[in-house]
Amino acid sequence: LGSKIKPFDCDITRKSGDVQRIQIHIDAERSEAGEVVTLHGICQDITEQILLERKFLQAQKMESVGRLTGGIAHDFNNLLMVMVGNLQLLEQMVDEDEKALKRIHAVIEAANKGSELTKRMLAFSRQQTLEDEEIQVDDLIGSMKEMLTRAIGGAIELEVIAGEGLWPVATDRTQLETAILNLAINARDAMVDGGSLTIETSNSLLDTTYCRQYEDLSPGAYVMISVTDTGHGMPAEIIDKVVQPFFTTKPPEAGSGLGLSMIYGFVQQSGGHLKITSQEGKGTTIKIYLPKFGKNAGENAEKAENADKAPATAAADVVTTEEPASIE
């Protein structure tokens, strides 16, 4: 009876389905005899505070993992260079021994595969070299359609929905192609019994309300590339883990666990944003946001602040709210 009431939290679900975290402070007013006369309560909405804290901790974790991954990748790549160099010298010394040459070639091939893994690790840590150029995303996806159709197989229906008047972006063409292909293959693996894969593009304005939930994301105009499958989906508790290096939901030897981490690093290094939403049994949507490129790019933040001030060149979706189960 004489102890102080500690603040406590509770969740409130609104009619819209949004869940708010409320912190309740209760203070007791007592009589001279020490009896409780009145209770005074204060309710404080701490939903945004909790969200910001979680995103900050996630960003710190990803930054730490990125530094560690980048350091390991550099050291490992240096070792591989020494190995390949000595193997090439050894190859010249035994050029008449076919059995020895066969074994040397096998080791060189394995070392080259290891080098490819280090490149993916460097992509995650945002330490790779990008060759940026102006790209029309719809043209790039259109040129990939035949390759994507072959990659996903005949049991999966591919639909490409091109955005109207899509803005150009400045990014590495090869890395973007690799990212889209990786997402398509991941979607194929999630639809073992067939299904549909939809790749959609649009212009998007990310406003301050949305961007402050993420570290290093500025309000402005972006081109969105969405890859949606009708596969088995992912549970909410692993979505924050799927972009970490070597994390995979696939069976052993079915993947390196570096595909999504490479995409994450490439998008971050390009000044963009990666968003993942998924629901078990209903599929997964992965959205890549890349900054608009052009002379009007400096007006991006102002345009994103007002939904009625859409760019004159094309329509754009205004993204203001947070969707569940996502990662920056």
Side-chain angles (χ1 to χ4, degrees), residues 70-86 111 114-115 118 122:
I72 293 173
H74 277 298
D75 291 343
F76 187 53
N77 201 46
N78 290 338
L79 293 173
L80 287 173
M81 290 176 64
V82 174
M83 290 173 57
V84 172
N86 280 280
S115 181
T118 64
L122 288 172

Side-chain angles (χ1 to χ4, degrees), residues 58 61-62 65 124 234-249 257-258 260-261 264 276 325-328:
Q58 175 71 8
K61 182 179 73 174
M62 296 302 289
V65 173
F124 168 77
M234 295 180 286
E237 60 268 18
I238 73 165
I239 289 183
D240 283 349
K241 302 176 183 178
V242 293
V243 297
Q244 296 177 14
F246 306 113
F247 181 90
T248 180
T249 58
L258 287 171
L260 278 177
S261 63
Y264 169 82
I276 303 174
S326 66
I327 184 163
E328 65 178 285

Side-chain angles (χ1 to χ4, degrees), residues 131-135 168-173 270 290-294:
E131 297 181 3
D132 291 347
E133 60 179 291
E134 183 179 344
I135 293 173
V169 298
T171 191
D172 188 297
R173 176 180 295 273
S270 299
L290 295 174
K292 172 191 174 185
F293 175 74

Side-chain angles (χ1 to χ4, degrees), residues 122-310:
L122 288 172
F124 168 77
S125 62
R126 290 170 270 174
Q127 297 180 31
Q128 64 180 335
T129 301
L130 297 180
E131 297 181 3
D132 291 347
E133 60 179 291
E134 183 179 344
I135 293 173
Q136 290 291 341
V137 173
D138 281 346
D139 292 343
L140 180 141
I141 295 175
S143 67
M144 294 180 64
K145 192 169 182 179
E146 184 178 347
M147 177 176 61
L148 291 170
T149 302
R150 290 200 306 269
I152 63 177
I156 297 173
E157 181 183 354
L158 174 65
E159 181 180 12
V160 176
I161 303 175
E164 182 181 352
L166 207 66
W167 297 320
V169 298
T171 191
D172 188 297
R173 176 180 295 273
T174 301
Q175 291 293 332
L176 182 55
E177 288 177 341
T178 303
I180 295 171
L181 180 59
N182 261 301
L183 292 179
I185 292 173
N186 284 347
R188 177 201 66 191
D189 294 342
M191 297 183 286
V192 291
D193 298 321
S196 62
L197 174 65
T198 303
I199 300 177
E200 185 175 1
T201 59
S202 68
N203 296 327
S204 294
L205 299 175
L206 305 185
D207 71 0
T208 302
T209 303
Y210 179 86
C211 291
R212 69 182 175 205
Q213 301 171 86
Y214 300 96
E215 200 74 17
D216 300 327
L217 181 62
S218 300
Y222 292 78
V223 172
M224 186 274 293
I225 307 166
S226 172
V227 179
T228 301
D229 66 61
T230 57
H232 50 64
M234 295 180 286
E237 60 268 18
I238 73 165
I239 289 183
D240 283 349
K241 302 176 183 178
V242 293
V243 297
Q244 296 177 14
F246 306 113
F247 181 90
T248 180
T249 58
K250 298 178 181 180
E253 300 182 1
S256 65
L258 287 171
L260 278 177
S261 63
M262 178 187 67
I263 296 169
Y264 169 82
F266 155 66
V267 172
Q268 291 288 105
Q269 192 174 355
S270 299
H273 173 56
L274 183 70
K275 186 176 186 66
I276 303 174
T277 57
S278 187
Q279 190 172 353
E280 286 188 277
K282 294 189 176 180
T284 300
T285 296
I286 300 181
K287 295 180 179 180
I288 294 174
Y289 291 90
L290 295 174
K292 172 191 174 185
F293 175 74
K295 62 181 180 180
N296 296 325
E299 302 172 10
N300 292 352
E302 182 180 350
K303 290 174 180 176
E305 286 305 300
N306 194 328
D308 297 327
K309 295 180 181 178

